[in-house]
Amino acid sequence: MSADWQNGGFGIYVHWPFCQAKCPYCDFNSHVSREIDEARWRSAYLAELDRAAIELPGRVVNAVFFGGGTPSLMHPDTVAAIIARIRKHWAMPNDPEITLEANPGSVEAGRFRGYADGGVTRISMGVQALNDRDLKRLGRIHTVAEAKIAFDTARSVFERVSFDLIYARQDQTLQEWKNELNEALCLAIDHLSLYQLTIEKGTAFSDRYEKGGLLGLPVEDLATDMYDTTQELCERAGFEAYEVSNHAKLGAESRHNLIYWRYGDYLGIGPGAHGRITIEDQRYATEQYKMPTAWLDRAEIGKAEKPRNPLGGIDQANEYLIMGLRISEGIDVDRIEALANQPLDTAALAHLTDLELVAQNGPYLRATPRGRLLLNSVIGELLF
C-alpha cells in the first residue's frame, strides 16, 4: 500500500446531484428533477461501493462525506444503506466522521434524527447569509428564520454541526459583514466555512455579470478588508483558520476535507464525482460520468467511471502543492520532493521567504497569512 494515501488517510465522497432549485452562483454538478426513483439510485450507489471494494481492500475509511446537490433530500434509509455497505467493506475508526450536507428547511430538518440513526455524525449546513434580502439575491429558498430553526434542530441531534456563509456580496459593507460574522460566531458550535463570493463560469451569476448586471460587488480593497476581518474575528472567537476558507475550534476540523488537503486517497462515487486512489503504488485520478441519467444507467452495469488517468510523480507533487498550501500546517517538504524526485526551486523558495509569503517550520512549508492572500501567485512560483 502506498505511503501517499497513508500520509493523508482514506475517505469516501458520495455525490447526490439533485436540488430543489439551482442557485445562481453554484457551479457544482446539481440538477432539479421532479421525479427521482430513489430505490434505483440506492442500488446504484451500493453497486459502485461493491465494485470499488474489490480494488481497494484493507483500507480504513477515516471519513465519509455526502455532498451535492442537496444530500438532505435523500431518504434517511438511502443514507443508512450506503453507510452500512461502507462498513461492510472497510474498517472505520470508533468515532468516524460521516458528514451530510443539508439545506435549511422544515422538511429536511425533520429528517435529521433519521440520518443520525443511520450513522451520520456531522451536518454541514448551507446557510450562506443571515439576512433575507441577500438570501433572495443568492437564490436561496429558505429564510433566516428557517435556517436558525433547522440549525437548532440539527444541534439537538448532532454534536457536530457546521454551516457556510458567503461574504463580499452585492452592496455588502464591511460593518454589515462584521455584524453578520459576529452573529454567526455566537451561533456556531465548533466549525464555520466562510467563502468569498466568486463568479464562476457557466453559472447564472456569470451570465448576469458578463451582461453588465450583478452590480454592487465589492472592489478588491474592500474584499481584502473583509477577508482580514474574517481572520481577526474568527481567531478572537477561538475559530482558527486551519484552511483558507475554513475555521474551527481545536480538534473540530473537517477530517474529510483534510484528506483532500493532505493529499490522501479518496473514492468518489456519484454523478461527476472525482477521486484519487492508489492501487499497487500507482496513483490514479478518477472521474465518474456527470449527467445523472447517464451515470445511473452506467452504474447499473459497472461502468459509471470514465477511463482512469494515471498520475506521474510531477503531477502528484503539483497537486499536493496546490492542496497542501491551503491549510495552516502546510506541506511536508520531504514528501513533495520525493514525489517529484527533485527539490523545490530554491531560488523561488528564498524569494517567497524574503517576501514573508511562506515560512518553514521543521519539515513543513506553509503559506503565511499574507501569503494566503496571494496564494495563487505563491503556488505558481513553486510548481514543478
Side-chain angles (χ1 to χ4, degrees), residues 222-265:
L222 177 55
T224 299
D225 288 344
M226 288 181 170
Y227 174 85
D228 290 339
T229 294
T230 301
Q231 311 314 305
E232 178 186 340
L233 294 182
C234 286
E235 184 174 352
R236 189 185 304 166
F239 286 75
E240 296 293 332
Y242 73 98
E243 191 270 344
V244 171
S245 300
N246 286 273
H247 304 255
K249 292 185 177 178
L250 186 63
E253 300 86 355
S254 168
R255 297 180 212 164
H256 184 84
N257 286 338
L258 281 172
I259 291 171
Y260 298 154
W261 296 319
R262 289 171 174 165
Y263 204 50
D265 266 18

Side-chain angles (χ1 to χ4, degrees), residues 131-323:
N131 73 70
D132 288 332
R133 178 199 69 181
D134 285 2
L135 284 174
K136 288 181 180 179
R137 282 181 163 182
L138 291 171
R140 306 299 286 174
I141 59 175
H142 64 269
T143 64
V144 173
E146 288 170 338
K148 289 181 177 179
I149 290 170
F151 180 71
D152 287 343
T153 303
R155 287 189 65 171
S156 71
V157 177
F158 297 94
E159 290 185 9
R160 301 186 65 196
V161 182
S162 176
F163 64 91
D164 300 357
L165 290 178
I166 295 172
Y167 66 95
R169 307 188 298 255
Q170 289 174 271
D171 300 318
Q172 187 179 38
T173 68
L174 181 59
Q175 188 58 51
E176 285 173 338
W177 173 234
K178 285 181 180 179
N179 296 341
E180 188 169 336
L181 181 53
N182 279 321
E183 183 181 1
L185 288 165
C186 290
L187 289 171
I189 301 172
D190 56 17
H191 192 285
L192 279 173
S193 296
L194 304 168
Y195 301 105
Q196 185 170 321
L197 179 63
T198 54
I199 310 303
E200 303 289 352
K201 289 184 178 179
T203 64
F205 269 10
S206 177
D207 292 342
R208 290 182 209 171
Y209 186 76
E210 289 174 2
K211 293 174 182 177
L214 215 63
L215 301 176
L217 293 175
V219 297
E220 185 175 345
D221 286 349
L222 177 55
T224 299
D225 288 344
M226 288 181 170
Y227 174 85
D228 290 339
T229 294
T230 301
Q231 311 314 305
E232 178 186 340
L233 294 182
C234 286
E235 184 174 352
R236 189 185 304 166
F239 286 75
E240 296 293 332
Y242 73 98
E243 191 270 344
V244 171
S245 300
N246 286 273
H247 304 255
K249 292 185 177 178
L250 186 63
E253 300 86 355
S254 168
R255 297 180 212 164
H256 184 84
N257 286 338
L258 281 172
I259 291 171
Y260 298 154
W261 296 319
R262 289 171 174 165
Y263 204 50
D265 266 18
Y266 55 98
L267 170 68
I269 66 169
H274 290 254
R276 293 292 183 274
I277 58 173
T278 306
I279 301 172
E280 296 180 354
D281 291 331
Q282 174 60 59
R283 193 173 178 90
Y284 296 93
T286 67
E287 182 182 357
Q288 303 223 316
Y289 285 91
K290 188 172 184 179
M291 291 306 297
T293 52
W295 180 88
L296 186 57
D297 290 340
R298 287 177 168 275
E300 290 175 330
I301 58 173
K303 295 184 177 180
E305 187 181 297
K306 294 181 178 181
R308 288 177 183 165
N309 177 27
L311 296 170
I314 294 294
D315 294 328
Q316 294 182 54
N318 283 334
E319 287 190 343
Y320 178 38
L321 181 73
I322 291 166
M323 299 302 287

Side-chain angles (χ1 to χ4, degrees), residues 318 321-322 325 345 348 352 374-384:
N318 283 334
L321 181 73
I322 291 166
L325 282 182
D345 186 326
L352 292 170
L374 302 168
L375 192 56
N376 288 340
S377 297
V378 171
I379 290 170
E381 290 286 319
L382 293 174
L383 286 172
F384 290 94

